[in-house]
Amino acid sequence: LKVLSRIDSILRSPRAPPLIYRRGKGPVQNSTQENGQEGGFEHLPLTVEMWADQLMALKDLHKSLRKLSLELVPWHTADPQENRESIRVEDLQFIVDAILEEIENKEKNSQTPSLPTLFAIVSHFQKLFDVNSLNGVYPRMNEVYTKLGEMTNVMRNLHELLGLDCSAPPTVVVDTVGKLCDIINENVTEQVQQLLGTQDIHSIMKKLEEHECFFPPFQALIQDLLCLLEVSNLDDILPAVQNLK
């Protein structure tokens, strides 16, 4: 009787769903009927049976939501139901909220590339830098990054050495280096001409030919004098000849 009174107080409370209590038809009866059921709750077993089926269906719904969550938000691995036997509506709401939050974030950040876009970017990188497999993408990226850093440092140093603005394109740097090389080559030619005492290329060739004809016999003569006078330096030849007088 106490149990029935307790059930009656719970089911008649304002928080109880309306479908679990239906006032019985006919005159008001005592607290208990002959069959032990309280008046107005004859349909309650069917309702409880329906709830049991719904609780079982929550498990299937939970499995489906978990699969959907793993597809949409695989980094959200926390599941508040993992260590519990029963499933609550709060557990399902947690998963749904995580999915909705991810969808809202994607809508706010529309610049986030999709998976096909990322795949196209990787494929384009493989074509540009001749990478045959996905495993070679990261090493080639590191290599490209290193080479780019070296070239950036070289260009920066050339800009400073040549007195160019940092925004000058590589073509300007190349042209400036070419002009500088031309100036250096002209100066070298002028210095050679001044050294040989001629401005004519044919005269330069003639002097070189004269040098080839004169130098070998002169070198042989000097070697013979060094051996004959028993000296080792050119500066000692003249004193040794004077001593022979």
Side-chain angles (χ1 to χ4, degrees):
L1 184 59
K2 291 181 179 180
V3 174
L4 292 176
S5 299
R6 177 62 176 165
I7 294 175
D8 181 63
S9 63
I10 293 175
L11 297 181
R12 292 173 183 271
S13 67
R15 297 180 57 187
L19 75 146
I20 66 173
Y21 175 72
R22 296 176 186 173
R23 183 174 297 276
K25 299 179 180 179
V28 179
Q29 303 178 9
N30 296 329
S31 59
T32 59
Q33 295 181 343
E34 296 179 357
N35 59 2
Q37 283 187 322
E38 186 176 356
F41 303 115
E42 294 85 356
H43 68 288
L44 189 57
L46 296 177
T47 302
V48 173
E49 184 178 352
M50 179 191 68
W51 285 355
D53 294 337
Q54 293 297 314
L55 289 175
M56 293 298 296
L58 283 180
K59 295 183 179 181
D60 296 334
L61 179 59
H62 179 264
K63 292 179 181 179
S64 300
L65 288 177
R66 282 291 297 163
K67 291 180 180 180
L68 181 61
S69 176
L70 291 175
E71 289 292 333
L72 297 179
V73 285
W75 49 89
H76 288 179
T77 57
D79 187 354
Q81 196 274 332
E82 286 179 351
N83 298 324
R84 288 201 305 270
E85 294 182 357
S86 61
I87 299 175
R88 302 182 306 178
V89 175
E90 292 87 340
D91 304 329
L92 306 181
Q93 188 65 46
F94 176 83
I95 299 175
V96 173
D97 290 342
I99 296 174
L100 290 176
E101 182 181 0
E102 177 63 20
I103 293 175
E104 291 176 357
N105 291 336
K106 284 185 177 181
E107 291 178 352
K108 292 179 181 178
N109 187 12
S110 59
Q111 299 299 324
T112 303
S114 62
L115 185 60
T117 302
L118 295 176
F119 180 77
I121 292 174
V122 174
S123 299
H124 187 62
F125 180 88
Q126 290 182 263
K127 292 179 181 178
L128 288 178
F129 298 99
D130 193 22
V131 182
N132 297 325
S133 64
L134 291 177
N135 293 332
V137 170
Y138 280 111
R140 186 57 57 87
M141 281 185 176
N142 294 333
E143 181 182 352
V144 172
Y145 177 80
T146 301
K147 293 296 183 181
L148 179 61
E150 293 176 355
M151 294 301 299
T152 301
N153 291 332
V154 170
M155 293 301 296
R156 185 188 302 112
N157 293 333
L158 286 175
H159 279 93
E160 294 178 357
L161 291 174
L162 299 174
L164 298 174
D165 186 78
C166 60
S167 61
T171 53
V172 175
V173 175
V174 173
D175 292 340
T176 305
V177 172
K179 293 177 181 178
L180 183 60
C181 291
D182 293 339
I183 294 173
I184 293 175
N185 291 334
E186 290 177 0
N187 292 337
V188 170
T189 302
E190 292 177 357
Q191 292 175 3
V192 172
Q193 291 175 349
Q194 293 175 1
L195 178 63
L196 298 177
T198 179
Q199 302 294 326
D200 187 4
I201 188 63
H202 296 290
S203 300
I204 295 175
M205 295 175 61
K206 183 177 180 180
K207 286 185 175 293
L208 291 175
E209 292 175 354
E210 293 175 353
H211 176 270
E212 292 179 355
C213 295
F214 169 77
F215 187 75
F218 175 77
Q219 184 181 20
L221 175 62
I222 294 300
Q223 291 294 337
D224 293 340
L225 288 174
L226 292 174
C227 294
L228 182 62
L229 298 175
E230 296 181 351
V231 294
S232 57
N233 297 321
L234 292 176
D235 296 337
D236 297 333
I237 293 177
L238 185 60
V241 173
Q242 291 177 349
N243 292 331
L244 294 177
K245 292 182 179 180

